[in-house]
Structures are given as structure tokens and as C-alpha cells.
Amino acid sequence: MPLLFNIRHLEHQTVTLRGELPVAELDLDGIDELIQANSPLHHDLEVERHERSILVQGRLGLKLRCECVRCLKSFDYPLAFDSWSCLLPLEGEDKVLVSNDCVDLTPYVREDIVLAFPQHPLCAPECRGLQPAPPSGRDQSSRAPATAELSSAWAELNKLKL
């Protein structure tokens, strides 16, 4: 069930929306292959009407399951909006869609959640990424350091005259 409220209920009082929204309602699948939302969205919102608009304020919380871009390990990423707000105009070009006196907040919540997705999810800031496995049958100490291999490869490329 989407996050709906009836604007007729706002004529004399504010409306409180508190509970959980199933993650399927947010339609977050396929946005980023490294980020998945598996738990419901927790919301605690107050909705009030002003002259020509509706103000929604409150808290939103969602736990994301991310994959580290460096080491590919899965980790939980809590996404919390402690003071989320949205102003919905009732008139003009950008007016909110009202269907049967009800307004659906789901698209506005979804947009802010997608914008808050981590750009490059890291399990820890100091994550060093995947460590190369030692070649089988050879002693690790007999190998030259990886940095020496990389620097010599770059040195050879720098010798090319194009």
C-alpha cells in the first residue's frame, strides 16, 4: 500500500503518518546493481495544510544492503532522514496529483532516497580492496613487490615513442 493521505482530513487538523512501507512500493530495483533495499521504510511524518500547499515533515529510515566497490563484500548501510520535509503545491504547474482526495507521497520519498544512495559504497573508508592471491606452488617471499612490478610496467610504457 502506498504512502497516502486524504487532503480532506487536513482541513481542521494535522495528520500523522507512522509505520512501515514495504520496499516493493518504492520500486528501487535496478537503480544500482551494488545497492539493494531489502527492509521496509520506517516513517514518522506530520502532514499539515497551508493556504496553497501541503507541508510534510518528519523522519524516514531505510536499511540498504550494499556491495563494497573495492573488496566486493556485502555490508549494511543505514539511510536516515531525521528531518525530512516536502512542500507540495496545490496550484500551478507543479501542483501535486490528487486522486479521489488522496495524495501519494511515495514518489517524493523515493526520489529523495535514490538521491541519497552512496555513489561508491565502501564497507570501510580504509578498505584496501581485493588482495591478490599468491600464485600456487611459489613462495610469496620470492616475488618482487607488486609496486615494483607496476612501476616497471609504467617505465616500459614511458619508453614508447609515439
Side-chain angles (χ1 to χ4, degrees):
M1 178 172 171
L3 195 54
L4 295 172
F5 67 90
N6 190 318
I7 59 172
R8 298 276 182 219
H9 296 158
L10 298 174
E11 292 175 358
H12 303 291
Q13 63 185 358
T14 63
V15 172
T16 301
L17 302 172
R18 190 174 291 133
E20 294 181 346
L21 181 67
V23 72
E25 292 290 331
L26 294 171
D27 192 26
L28 297 172
D29 293 335
I31 292 176
D32 191 328
E33 60 188 29
L34 298 175
I35 301 171
Q36 295 178 351
N38 296 328
S39 64
L41 171 76
H42 299 276
H43 58 86
D44 184 7
L45 304 170
E46 295 256 337
V47 183
E48 58 186 272
R49 183 169 181 164
H50 292 276
E51 289 182 24
R52 296 184 192 114
S53 61
I54 297 170
L55 177 64
V56 184
Q57 301 179 90
R59 292 186 308 240
L60 301 172
L62 179 68
K63 188 170 30 170
L64 302 174
R65 190 75 183 157
C66 299
E67 191 173 301
C68 181
V69 294
R70 291 184 186 161
C71 68
L72 303 178
K73 290 181 185 175
S74 292
F75 66 97
D76 288 332
Y77 183 88
L79 194 60
F81 299 94
D82 292 329
S83 58
W84 183 78
S85 63
C86 184
L87 186 64
L88 307 170
L90 293 171
E91 299 174 359
E93 286 182 26
D94 297 330
K95 71 179 179 180
V96 68
L97 179 64
V98 179
S99 177
N100 294 330
D101 293 334
C102 290
V103 174
D104 185 7
L105 290 174
T106 309
Y108 304 99
V109 170
R110 179 186 186 278
E111 180 179 359
D112 285 344
I113 288 172
V114 171
L115 290 173
F117 274 10
Q119 292 293 318
H120 301 285
L122 293 175
C123 59
E126 63 276 353
C127 178
R128 295 183 49 188
L130 294 174
Q131 301 299 317
S136 59
R138 291 177 53 188
D139 184 17
Q140 183 71 10
S141 61
S142 66
R143 289 189 58 190
T147 55
E149 288 177 13
L150 287 177
S151 63
S152 67
W154 282 111
E156 292 300 317
L157 287 173
N158 286 335
K159 292 178 187 177
L160 290 174
K161 295 184 180 183
L162 299 174

